[in-house]
Amino acid sequence: MSRDDDQTWAELIDSFHAAPSDGDQPWPAAEEIGPDDPLDEPRPEDFRDASVTLGPLTPRGAGTGSDATDAAPAIPPGIDDAAAEEAANHFVPPPPAPIPRGDRVQRLAWAAVITPPIALIIVAIMSWRPSDEIVFLAVVAFITGFVTLVARMRGHHPNDPDDGAVI
């Protein structure tokens, strides 16, 4: 670095740490908010006023035009504000899809991937010495099951609407 670069860098650092002078503002005067100025943002207590009503609440896609005005409110009348707020903000997810059973080949492949390692771990814990043929069969079963599962994986279909997280 040259001397001018060092001096410029030192001036930048000094100006960063220096306090602004009395008349100097680091932001526009229009953005200046005093301690007594009200904020334009709504507060939760602003919505507790009884004169503010939202009208009837309708589920999404319940209808348009005159159908939407005839719909019943989603929150029943006569419950307190806390319960109404809880009911409005509570999300109940849909039930999950059932786990697919798979066909016989897929179930055998999963058994070949899961069973041999568990069996070999149990044999090692018990300090047994299995024959070389059994170890060989366990390794072959594992590799065969793994290759079968990978080969039968579903690929991406061009007409599949679910593209995942596409950015």
Side-chain angles (χ1 to χ4, degrees), residues 33-49:
I33 297 178
D36 297 330
D37 293 338
L39 296 176
D40 291 337
E41 299 174 3
R43 296 185 187 110
E45 56 270 5
D46 294 340
F47 298 107
R48 297 282 184 216
D49 185 11

Side-chain angles (χ1 to χ4, degrees), residues 43 70 132 148:
R43 296 185 187 110
D70 296 336
D132 292 338
T148 302

Side-chain angles (χ1 to χ4, degrees), residues 33-152:
I33 297 178
D36 297 330
D37 293 338
L39 296 176
D40 291 337
E41 299 174 3
R43 296 185 187 110
E45 56 270 5
D46 294 340
F47 298 107
R48 297 282 184 216
D49 185 11
S51 65
V52 177
T53 59
L54 298 175
L57 300 175
T58 59
R60 264 189 208 163
T64 58
S66 64
D67 296 339
T69 58
D70 296 336
I75 301 172
I79 60 174
D80 61 341
D81 289 341
E85 187 174 334
E86 175 70 25
N89 294 331
H90 185 69
F91 173 72
V92 178
I99 297 173
R101 299 248 332 138
D103 58 348
R104 184 175 301 208
V105 174
Q106 188 176 17
R107 285 185 278 181
L108 282 172
W110 274 110
V113 168
I114 294 172
T115 306
I118 292 174
L120 290 178
I121 289 172
I122 290 172
V123 166
I125 290 173
M126 302 292 258
S127 298
W128 294 342
R129 173 78 176 121
S131 65
D132 292 338
E133 293 85 14
I134 292 177
V135 174
F136 177 74
L137 287 174
V139 170
V140 167
F142 177 82
I143 292 173
T144 304
F146 182 78
V147 168
T148 302
L149 288 174
V150 170
R152 293 173 52 102

